[in-house]
Amino acid sequence: MKGYVNTNKGEVSINNDVIANYAGSAAIECFGIVGMASLSMMSGLATLLKKDNLSKGVEIIIENNEITAKLHIIVAYGVSISAVAENLIENVTYKVEEFTGMKVKNIYVYVEGVRVVD
């Protein structure tokens, strides 16, 4: 389902992929996030996504014009996962709400891997 924003001039429709790409971009800006992850269906292994495929690590669900986001991330070795996740939720919520004009209802964070950062 697409998101809709009503204005005094009409209605704006926002595709889920646009929101997913924006949420993925906001996520990788956060400290401690190495990148977004995509799970391989065959092996069950998480792979690090390149910047042009960030939306594959994000699932967006829109119900009653409220956004639920599921973020699959890879974190840097040695960071506090709870602190990184808290920062991630705050940052993505703020940026997606500002970007879309819609309310973010829930954000679920799935840590799919840990990587050593050079």
Side-chain angles (χ1 to χ4, degrees):
M1 178 178 201
K2 292 183 181 180
Y4 295 95
V5 179
N6 290 317
T7 67
N8 60 352
K9 304 250 185 206
E11 187 175 79
V12 178
S13 171
I14 307 171
N15 191 308
N16 287 14
D17 289 338
V18 173
I19 299 170
N21 202 21
Y22 193 80
S25 295
I28 62 169
E29 292 176 358
C30 296
F31 174 79
I33 305 290
V34 175
M36 302 304 294
S38 173
L39 291 176
S40 168
M41 296 303 232
M42 297 292 280
S43 65
L45 295 175
T47 56
L48 187 63
L49 294 170
K50 302 211 184 293
K51 291 195 189 266
D52 55 343
N53 289 328
L54 293 178
S55 64
K56 291 183 180 170
V58 181
E59 181 183 353
I60 297 293
I61 302 163
I62 300 174
E63 293 174 337
N64 299 324
N65 223 31
E66 292 182 324
I67 299 170
T68 296
K70 296 180 180 181
L71 305 171
H72 298 267
I73 62 168
I74 297 175
V75 297
Y77 177 79
V79 299
S80 167
I81 292 176
S82 61
V84 168
E86 191 174 310
N87 181 40
L88 172 68
I89 290 168
E90 288 178 22
N91 191 41
V92 171
T93 298
Y94 174 76
K95 288 190 174 187
V96 169
E97 285 182 346
E98 287 294 311
F99 178 65
T100 63
M102 298 166 57
K103 183 179 180 331
V104 174
K105 181 179 177 183
N106 293 309
I107 293 185
Y108 299 101
V109 178
Y110 301 94
V111 178
E112 303 293 353
V114 176
R115 296 271 169 100
V116 176
V117 180
D118 297 331

